[in-house]
Amino acid sequence: MGRPDLSVHVAGLRLANPLIAASGCFGYGVEYADLIDLSELGAIAVKGLFLEAREGHAPPRIVETPSGMLNAIGLQGIGVRTFVSGKLPELRARRAVVIVNICGSTVEEYAEIARILSDADGVAAIEINISCPNIDEGGHTFGCSLTGVRDVVRAVRAATTLPIFPKLTPNVTDIAATAAAAEDAGADAVSLVNTFLAMAIDVESRRPRLSNVVGGLSGPAIRPIAVRMVYECSNAVRIPIIGMGGIASARDALEFLIAGASAVQVGTANFEDPGIWPKLREGLLDYLERHGHTAVGEIVGTVDLSARETATWVSS
Amino acid sequence: MGRPDLSVHVAGLRLANPLIAASGCFGYGVEYADLIDLSELGAIAVKGLFLEAREGHAPPRIVETPSGMLNAIGLQGIGVRTFVSGKLPELRARRAVVIVNICGSTVEEYAEIARILSDADGVAAIEINISCPNIDEGGHTFGCSLTGVRDVVRAVRAATTLPIFPKLTPNVTDIAATAAAAEDAGADAVSLVNTFLAMAIDVESRRPRLSNVVGGLSGPAIRPIAVRMVYECSNAVRIPIIGMGGIASARDALEFLIAGASAVQVGTANFEDPGIWPKLREGLLDYLERHGHTAVGEIVGTVDLSARETATWVSS
Amino acid sequence: MARPVDVDARIAANHRLSHAYNILEIEAPSIACQTRPGQFVMVKRALGREPLLRRPFSVFEILRDARGAVTGLSLLSKQVGAVTRELFEAQPGDRLRCLGPLGTPFTVVNRPTRAWMVAGGVGLAPFATLAEALRAREVDTTLFYGGRSGDDLYRVPFFERLGVRVILTTEDGTRGEAGRVTEPLARELDAAGGLPLTIHACGPTPMLRAVAELAARAGHPVEVSLEPIMGCGLGGCYSCVVRVLDGGARFVRACIEGPVFEGSRVSWADLT
Amino acid sequence: MARPVDVDARIAANHRLSHAYNILEIEAPSIACQTRPGQFVMVKRALGREPLLRRPFSVFEILRDARGAVTGLSLLSKQVGAVTRELFEAQPGDRLRCLGPLGTPFTVVNRPTRAWMVAGGVGLAPFATLAEALRAREVDTTLFYGGRSGDDLYRVPFFERLGVRVILTTEDGTRGEAGRVTEPLARELDAAGGLPLTIHACGPTPMLRAVAELAARAGHPVEVSLEPIMGCGLGGCYSCVVRVLDGGARFVRACIEGPVFEGSRVSWADLT
Ligand SMILES: Cc1cc2nc3c(=O)[nH]c(=O)nc-3n(C[C@H](O)[C@H](O)[C@H](O)COP(=O)(O)OP(=O)(O)OC[C@H]3O[C@@H](n4cnc5c(N)ncnc54)[C@H](O)[C@@H]3O)c2cc1C
Ligand SMILES: Cc1cc2nc3c(=O)[nH]c(=O)nc-3n(C[C@H](O)[C@H](O)[C@H](O)COP(=O)(O)OP(=O)(O)OC[C@H]3O[C@@H](n4cnc5c(N)ncnc54)[C@H](O)[C@@H]3O)c2cc1C
Ligand SMILES: Cc1cc2nc3c(=O)[nH]c(=O)nc-3n(C[C@H](O)[C@H](O)[C@H](O)COP(=O)(O)O)c2cc1C
Ligand SMILES: Cc1cc2nc3c(=O)[nH]c(=O)nc-3n(C[C@H](O)[C@H](O)[C@H](O)COP(=O)(O)O)c2cc1C
Ligand code: FES
Ligand code: FES
């Protein structure tokens, strides 16, 4: 008998394993081709793309914080058409499963990008970055209002038959409601979480440490909040959940799977250790074997609440 | 010429320094009387009190996470009357500036507690813990809806002439709006942030690490999010802000003051180092001297944005 | 009342007793000289370093120089995670942040009352100081000490030199009597009959519960030292609570009212 | 193209040159043997430890054994914060996580073109390997090397042994010529007239900018090695961008297209 089966099915998509490179933390994928075999990743969520090329923010774009980092890249990107013509062919040649993370400043822009990707060869799914604030349009974020979420997801749904995964922002009061709204609007799965809006100040100069003043917090620091959000969403929707936020070890990935994620993404940890992928796979296999499982799917959403009566949702 | 002046005025309250012990992280204050001189703290925010005594949650009540900890104490407490008769006299005798953190399951309970405290001798201010979920009443949190915030603050305002500081939950989409609602309803200042709702799972047993399943994340991990929220609120309200979230050094405290907080609270770091208070004071004095300031008030809300054009609020 | 102090203590020695157990000698006389049997310290390798919180450890031995002056204290540590691993790997000369003494100590009885100490594994820790205090009063003292195997039983000569009667058990029978430490305890209790006797116990919760029940049945007072997870050790966080039966079932802080509790007081059903 | 490798390398030696500077020798032959002048490595004391991210360092020397076989590489580090402090305090035997070689190297010219290297402080780092490559081709090579004071100038004999002409400057005049390194450079440029010449520079941004302007005015090609904050070193995070003037002002990743850039390409006004 062989080792446990790591493959998972997410919204019709078959992934060799549940480990996905998180958007914006793995470039367009091709950057890592010299270092690792891209086809061994469950999938690659490429850097967020707008319709046109974007310059992004001035440096400094990142700063480290306790067990985390802030980033304000500003979604620098080459634009979806250049991606399709310039990067997709190599990704296809390397047999990478490609999830394209898309951004828009208008609902129509999201739809337009989705149409372009539908005609492209080698796109497995679309991850809709509604969690990224609506750039320079007053800073209002689609993902922070239920109508905003519905509008974007409906428009993309109408524009493509590819699996669509809205990526939820954690900067909301009720993320389960956002997930439900995405499900209603036709999402095939939801990805969560994106980064937490945050800020760091250099006290000597009193200047913000990021040129953009605020940025997104990622890394192990946010993991407990992300796990809670995945757990809440898994109780609120029927569609699969792709969980992320501070995963840096197989143990961390397992926490998300047990909380209810069908697959997970790894972002910040890939910066520290680009060789993390085989370690994560080995750690998952070892856990499944120790616990007598034949497939990773068996542990998804298996939080054991038996030890207690009924959850009273109190934080302090 | 002496050293810089650390004293601050918050909503009519004069504090010897801007360093306040955070609620729930310093018991009722008396527990620390053997270790430090309570009168040397700017103030003490005592553990959250309901009208009646509360048992709180079963252990385990805390678990450590990267650069942070989760707690689900469940607001165990002795009830406000027992506090007034049993703890307040000793706090008064030790010349501690006492901020009483109050909780309620109903608007009326908050008001009733406020009335009792108004008649008590030695209460400097009331911190209203609207950020703590409405226990066992469906888990709905006053602090997560603007009407909830207004109702509680108005009721407490009507019940007392003591300074009242609603303490905001960070688990909301727009904390600046919450702060503004609190200001409209008559708050004298706002405290923020309370803990972030979070969760940790022991993957071997698949059980939540807290008996309450979810708990509140505190500690350095949350600091960048808390600083951003203080900065946002300082741009949204005129009343003073009491900032907190992961402060573990004078540098951290300065970050909050510069972001716009008139005073700060320290919680989790006091567990690691109960002797942190004089170190924080010394660190503030040293900074003020190096930068040629005569009073700590001079640096409140002095973020320098000159280096950049206009903030575009983008996180990735 | 003792005034807890927080010292950045030098590690004088680290005796690794096995792959899991070690004894760490630290130079903290200001804590050691006021420590009473059963009290504990909250320790951390260095401030501002992960993991965030300190960990509680019983004071094992009070260290003295040739002339009998108190020079520090030792900890008996068993590796279970991050901090105990750091303690196991610590080098002489390293520092240890140490806050104490903390908590409510054991009751030290007087003759003719006898004292029986029941230790399971690392639960031996609080009994070195208790044994010294009891023998200083010439109290007739017995140590029931159980471990998984012979290699898990430490410092037995220390107790024998004090004139403590030592009864050993190991689960694998490699040393002393084979089986659980509660077996000889039960036998001796029957034999002791109505003699005035106080029992002190520290170890795994199931063992403590069994000891408490045996003592209750025999009508002897029993003190157990509990080990809940502690966030501060000072009464500040309310993380360390234990449910007690007096005053209507309620949670009390083990770092203040404990770690030593009367066995009859503890709501055993609620102890996980 | 070189294939970057990530090794958990042993630290063979740590030479503390001053209170701030140290040279760390690490056993990473698989990286060293493919490193070209101007390339860098991303390092960290240990995975899963704070601070989270690796830090970029130029490869300083390629280390060889008596028989000339490559045994590792060294880093020239200047303490400015958390990680450089760790590197300063590292002990032989400690490990260093090291990923490389990374980035676009310097162009190594051929005779009769001459090579001038301009280093400011720790900016000397990429020039040990460049000097070796140039001298191996017998290129007439000069090093302009400036520091705050005489004690901040290191490894000068190494360059002299290679037959590099060394021109030193110190701001306090304690060694070499008093003043900025750009002063002798300007003078020599005037003297050199139309000679075929390539300039390489590494150091503080204001110095690089001044060098780029001098070179442009004299009509010589110049390569500068920039030091933006880098999150990954592999092109994954887009944190390290530098604004370049070609293709309409745009941000390019210094970890891939750099750290070595043509001076004329850099939008100096945007470099903070
Ligand atoms: C008053 C008191 C006295 C103690 N005296 C000693 C002593 O003398 N020697 C000794 O070796 N240990 C003693 N302990 C237990 C010791 O505090 C824990 O083993 C230690 O905190 C584990 O820390 P860690 O970082 O190594 O493990 P962690 O990484 O924190 O945890 C590893 C595992 O151990 C569990 N754990 C954590 N804390 C405790 C705890 N307090 N009790 C039981 N399990 C825990 C965790 O749930 C986890 O499963 C005492 C505890 C208390 C409350
Ligand atoms: C390609 C490249 C090659 C480099 N080669 C060397 C080298 O050979 N020797 C050497 O000593 N340094 C070199 N540096 C700079 C080095 O990477 C930084 O000094 C280091 O990252 C600081 O880390 P830290 O944790 O000690 O400081 P931190 O605690 O991270 O930061 C301390 C202070 O230094 C500033 N800082 C952080 N990173 C940088 C940076 N990349 N450039 C400038 N300031 C920074 C921070 O803003 C902060 O103010 C190189 C940088 C790059 C990009
Ligand atoms: C440098 C950086 C850039 C990112 N860019 C994007 C992006 O373009 N689109 C997106 O949806 N998320 C982006 N993210 C968010 C990550 O995909 C991920 O949701 C988040 O970092 C949490 O995961 P982690 O803690 O494993 O990094 C970015 C994160 C980082 C650190
Ligand atoms: C153990 C614990 C108990 C707490 N209890 C309360 C409470 O009773 N009332 C309240 O308003 N906040 C409570 N808090 C939140 C803190 O007051 C503070 O807002 C939060 O911990 C962030 O600050 P810190 O990171 O410095 O700890 C508690 C926090 C902790 C860790
Ligand atoms: S450990 Fe904090 S109250 Fe007991
Ligand atoms: S450092 Fe990450 S892209 Fe250059």
Side-chain angles (χ1 to χ4, degrees):
Chain A
M1 50 148 282
R3 303 196 71 181
D5 178 11
L6 285 185
S7 70
V8 293
H9 289 78
V10 179
L13 215 65
R14 186 188 175 285
L15 309 180
N17 62 64
L19 305 166
I20 302 170
S23 179
C25 303
F26 208 70
Y28 295 110
V30 295
E31 292 87 346
Y32 288 82
D34 282 342
L35 218 60
I36 58 177
D37 177 347
L38 301 183
S39 69
E40 286 183 358
L41 297 186
I44 297 169
V46 297
K47 193 162 167 36
L49 289 163
F50 281 83
L51 195 53
E52 305 303 335
R54 285 177 60 89
E55 185 180 47
H57 297 311
R61 288 178 166 188
I62 62 168
V63 57
E64 256 188 90
T65 63
S67 297
M69 67 179 279
L70 306 188
N71 87 84
I73 306 302
L75 291 164
Q76 171 172 358
I78 59 180
V80 67
R81 291 191 186 81
T82 312
F83 170 77
V84 169
S85 58
K87 308 288 180 186
L88 208 44
E90 177 174 354
L91 290 169
R92 222 166 38 226
R94 296 189 180 269
R95 308 201 329 287
V97 176
V98 179
I99 299 173
V100 181
N101 182 272
I102 69 171
C103 318
S105 303
T106 64
V107 169
E108 185 35 46
E109 182 173 9
Y110 279 103
E112 178 60 17
I113 299 171
R115 275 188 289 273
I116 293 168
L117 291 171
S118 308
D119 302 336
D121 186 2
V123 176
I126 293 175
E127 184 173 62
I128 312 171
N129 184 2
I130 53 170
S131 39
C132 143
N134 190 341
I135 296 174
D136 297 323
E137 258 74 318
H140 153 90
T141 307
F142 289 105
C144 284
S145 79
L146 296 183
T147 47
V149 174
R150 277 198 209 87
D151 294 347
V152 174
V153 177
R154 281 216 192 88
V156 175
R157 175 75 297 164
T160 183
T161 57
L162 287 169
I164 58 173
F165 309 155
K167 182 167 175 181
L168 310 184
T169 171
N171 302 304
V172 296
T173 307
D174 183 356
I175 196 158
T178 319
E183 180 176 39
D184 296 343
D188 300 294
V190 285
S191 298
L192 62 138
V193 296
N194 208 314
T195 55
F196 289 76
L197 200 60
M199 177 176 183
I201 300 167
D202 173 47
V203 300
E204 293 304 322
S205 68
R206 295 189 204 167
R207 295 228 179 93
R209 288 186 164 276
L210 296 172
S211 76
N212 188 58
V213 180
V214 296
L217 177 62
S218 63
I222 67 171
R223 193 195 313 137
I225 315 179
V227 169
R228 184 265 299 178
M229 289 179 163
V230 165
Y231 179 70
E232 280 184 7
C233 290
S234 71
N235 293 330
V237 298
R238 268 165 269 84
I239 53 177
I241 292 167
I242 300 168
M244 76 199 81
I247 295 175
S249 71
R251 201 208 63 79
D252 302 339
L254 287 160
E255 206 175 349
F256 279 84
L257 295 169
I258 291 166
S262 300
V264 298
Q265 294 187 14
V266 177
T268 301
N270 173 68
F271 298 150
E272 180 197 18
D273 183 12
I276 195 172
W277 305 101
K279 297 174 196 167
L280 294 175
R281 282 195 299 271
E282 195 43 50
L284 293 184
L285 287 170
D286 167 66
Y287 177 89
L288 294 173
E289 283 168 348
R290 282 192 294 105
H291 290 263
H293 291 287
T294 58
V296 67
E298 295 166 14
I299 67 167
V300 171
T302 57
V303 178
D304 175 3
L305 298 181
S306 61
R308 53 190 311 288
E309 330 65 67
T310 61
T312 53
W313 297 66
V314 176
S315 74
S316 14
Chain B
M1 50 147 282
R3 305 195 72 182
D5 178 12
L6 285 185
S7 70
V8 293
H9 292 264
V10 179
L13 215 65
R14 186 189 174 285
L15 309 179
N17 61 65
L19 305 167
I20 303 170
S23 180
C25 304
F26 209 69
Y28 296 110
V30 296
E31 291 86 347
Y32 288 82
D34 283 340
L35 216 61
I36 58 177
D37 178 347
L38 300 184
S39 70
E40 287 182 359
L41 297 187
I44 297 169
V46 297
K47 192 163 167 39
L49 289 162
F50 281 82
L51 194 53
E52 305 303 335
R54 285 177 60 87
E55 184 180 47
H57 297 310
R61 288 177 167 188
I62 62 168
V63 58
E64 256 188 271
T65 62
S67 297
M69 66 179 279
L70 306 188
N71 87 84
I73 306 302
L75 291 164
Q76 171 172 358
I78 59 179
V80 67
R81 292 193 185 81
T82 311
F83 169 77
V84 168
S85 58
K87 307 287 181 188
L88 209 42
E90 177 175 354
L91 289 170
R92 223 165 39 227
R94 296 189 180 270
R95 307 201 328 286
V97 176
V98 179
I99 299 173
V100 181
N101 182 273
I102 69 170
C103 317
S105 304
T106 65
V107 169
E108 184 35 46
E109 182 173 9
Y110 281 103
E112 177 60 19
I113 299 171
R115 275 189 288 274
I116 293 167
L117 292 170
S118 308
D119 301 337
D121 186 1
V123 177
I126 293 175
E127 184 172 62
I128 312 172
N129 184 3
I130 54 170
S131 39
C132 143
N134 190 341
I135 296 176
D136 298 322
E137 260 72 319
H140 153 90
T141 308
F142 289 106
C144 284
S145 79
L146 296 182
T147 47
V149 174
R150 280 200 208 85
D151 294 348
V152 174
V153 177
R154 283 217 191 87
V156 174
R157 176 75 297 162
T160 183
T161 58
L162 287 168
I164 59 172
F165 309 155
K167 182 167 175 180
L168 311 183
T169 172
N171 303 305
V172 296
T173 308
D174 183 356
I175 196 157
T178 320
E183 181 177 39
D184 297 342
D188 299 294
V190 284
S191 299
L192 62 135
V193 296
N194 207 315
T195 55
F196 289 76
L197 200 60
M199 176 176 183
I201 300 168
D202 173 47
V203 300
E204 293 304 322
S205 68
R206 294 186 206 169
R207 295 229 179 93
R209 287 186 165 275
L210 296 171
S211 75
N212 188 59
V213 180
V214 296
L217 178 62
S218 63
I222 67 171
R223 192 195 314 137
I225 315 179
V227 169
R228 183 265 299 179
M229 289 179 164
V230 165
Y231 180 70
E232 280 184 5
C233 290
S234 71
N235 293 330
V237 298
R238 268 164 271 81
I239 53 177
I241 291 168
I242 299 168
M244 75 197 83
I247 296 174
S249 71
R251 202 207 64 78
D252 303 338
L254 287 160
E255 206 175 350
F256 280 84
L257 295 169
I258 292 165
S262 300
V264 297
Q265 294 188 13
V266 177
T268 300
N270 173 68
F271 297 150
E272 180 196 17
D273 183 13
I276 195 172
W277 306 101
K279 297 174 195 168
L280 293 176
R281 283 194 300 270
E282 196 41 52
L284 292 184
L285 288 170
D286 168 66
Y287 178 89
L288 294 173
E289 283 167 348
R290 282 193 294 105
H291 290 262
H293 291 286
T294 59
V296 67
E298 295 166 12
I299 67 166
V300 171
T302 56
V303 178
D304 175 3
L305 298 181
S306 61
R308 53 189 312 288
E309 331 65 68
T310 60
T312 53
W313 298 66
V314 176
S315 73
S316 12
Chain C
M1 224 304 267
R3 232 174 196 292
V5 286
D6 185 18
V7 296
D8 178 29
R10 185 176 169 284
I11 294 174
N14 180 2
H15 309 289
R16 301 203 177 87
L17 307 173
S18 71
H19 61 288
Y21 284 85
N22 70 304
I23 292 175
L24 214 54
E25 298 185 358
I26 64 174
E27 297 168 359
S30 57
I31 297 175
C33 66
Q34 26 169 5
T35 301
R36 289 157 62 193
Q39 289 190 297
F40 67 97
V41 290
M42 293 291 289
V43 307
K44 185 166 195 206
R45 277 301 301 280
L47 295 178
R49 149 169 176 172
E50 290 282 282
L52 206 64
L53 300 172
R54 299 189 189 215
R55 300 291 192 268
F57 289 84
S58 300
V59 171
F60 180 43
E61 303 151 306
I62 303 298
L63 306 175
R64 296 187 172 78
D65 64 17
R67 298 189 327 294
V70 171
T71 58
L73 56 84
S74 75
L75 308 177
L76 174 64
S77 174
K78 180 185 179 184
Q79 263 197 76
V80 299
V83 171
T84 45
R85 186 175 317 110
E86 285 185 328
L87 296 187
F88 189 84
E89 287 159 4
Q91 301 292 334
D94 289 348
R95 319 292 300 186
L96 189 71
R97 196 83 202 182
C98 188
L99 170 69
L102 303 168
T104 303
F106 285 115
T107 319
V108 182
V109 298
N110 290 300
R111 336 178 32 188
T113 303
R114 302 172 177 213
W116 288 7
M117 308 181 296
V118 187
V122 75
L124 180 71
F127 292 134
T129 53
L130 180 59
E132 283 183 322
L134 288 164
R135 294 302 298 147
R137 300 181 180 188
E138 293 174 350
V139 173
D140 180 322
T141 307
T142 304
L143 170 68
F144 297 82
Y145 181 18
R148 190 163 288 108
S149 123
D151 318 345
D152 303 333
L153 300 177
Y154 309 109
R155 289 292 202 262
V156 172
F158 167 89
F159 289 92
E160 288 168 341
R161 269 198 307 278
L162 283 172
V164 173
R165 180 173 63 127
V166 179
I167 297 173
L168 303 176
T169 66
T170 52
E171 286 172 26
D172 65 4
T174 49
R175 188 170 173 193
E177 181 173 333
R180 296 270 172 75
V181 69
T182 42
E183 289 158 22
L185 175 66
R187 217 176 35 239
E188 296 274 329
L189 275 171
D190 293 341
L195 280 173
L197 181 63
T198 297
I199 298 172
H200 311 273
C202 185
T205 303
M207 179 202 100
L208 296 180
R209 183 176 189 165
V211 172
E213 281 162 2
L214 286 170
R217 223 176 292 126
H220 298 297
V222 56
E223 292 181 331
V224 295
S225 180
L226 303 178
E227 299 193 349
I229 290 176
M230 293 185 168
C232 72
L234 291 165
C237 72
Y238 281 73
S239 64
C240 60
V241 294
V242 169
R243 195 191 290 277
V244 294
L245 300 169
D246 53 305
R250 61 201 177 88
F251 287 121
V252 298
R253 289 164 291 178
C255 65
I256 296 181
E257 294 200 23
V260 175
F261 289 89
E262 269 174 40
S264 58
R265 208 184 159 206
V266 176
S267 174
W268 293 102
D270 292 301
L271 267 192
T272 40
Chain D
M1 225 301 270
R3 228 173 201 292
V5 286
D6 185 18
V7 296
D8 177 28
R10 184 176 169 284
I11 294 174
N14 180 2
H15 309 290
R16 299 202 179 85
L17 306 173
S18 70
H19 60 289
Y21 285 84
N22 69 305
I23 293 174
L24 214 55
E25 298 185 357
I26 64 174
E27 297 168 359
S30 57
I31 297 175
C33 65
Q34 25 168 5
T35 301
R36 289 157 61 194
Q39 288 191 298
F40 66 98
V41 290
M42 293 291 289
V43 308
K44 185 167 194 201
R45 277 301 302 280
L47 294 178
R49 146 170 177 174
E50 290 282 282
L52 206 63
L53 299 172
R54 300 188 188 216
R55 300 292 192 269
F57 289 84
S58 300
V59 171
F60 181 43
E61 303 150 306
I62 303 298
L63 307 175
R64 296 187 172 77
D65 64 16
R67 298 189 328 294
V70 171
T71 58
L73 55 86
S74 75
L75 308 177
L76 173 63
S77 174
K78 180 186 180 185
Q79 261 196 76
V80 298
V83 171
T84 45
R85 187 175 314 110
E86 284 184 329
L87 296 187
F88 189 83
E89 287 159 4
Q91 301 293 334
D94 288 350
R95 318 293 299 188
L96 189 70
R97 196 83 202 183
C98 188
L99 170 69
L102 303 168
T104 302
F106 284 115
T107 321
V108 182
V109 297
N110 289 301
R111 328 177 40 186
T113 303
R114 300 171 178 216
W116 289 7
M117 307 182 295
V118 187
V122 75
L124 180 71
F127 292 134
T129 53
L130 180 59
E132 283 182 321
L134 289 164
R135 294 302 297 147
R137 300 181 180 189
E138 292 173 350
V139 172
D140 181 322
T141 307
T142 304
L143 170 68
F144 297 82
Y145 180 20
R148 190 162 288 106
S149 126
D151 318 345
D152 302 334
L153 300 177
Y154 309 109
R155 290 292 202 259
V156 172
F158 167 88
F159 289 93
E160 288 168 341
R161 269 198 308 276
L162 283 173
V164 173
R165 180 173 62 127
V166 179
I167 297 172
L168 303 176
T169 66
T170 53
E171 286 171 27
D172 65 3
T174 48
R175 188 170 176 194
E177 180 175 335
R180 294 268 172 75
V181 69
T182 42
E183 288 157 22
L185 175 65
R187 218 176 35 240
E188 296 274 329
L189 275 171
D190 294 341
L195 282 172
L197 181 63
T198 297
I199 298 172
H200 311 273
C202 185
T205 303
M207 180 202 99
L208 296 180
R209 184 176 187 165
V211 172
E213 281 162 3
L214 287 170
R217 224 176 292 127
H220 298 297
V222 57
E223 292 182 331
V224 295
S225 180
L226 303 178
E227 299 192 350
I229 290 176
M230 293 186 169
C232 71
L234 292 166
C237 73
Y238 281 73
S239 65
C240 60
V241 295
V242 170
R243 195 190 290 277
V244 294
L245 300 168
D246 52 305
R250 61 202 176 89
F251 287 122
V252 298
R253 288 164 291 179
C255 65
I256 296 180
E257 294 199 23
V260 175
F261 289 90
E262 269 173 41
S264 57
R265 209 185 158 206
V266 176
S267 175
W268 294 101
D270 292 300
L271 267 192
T272 41

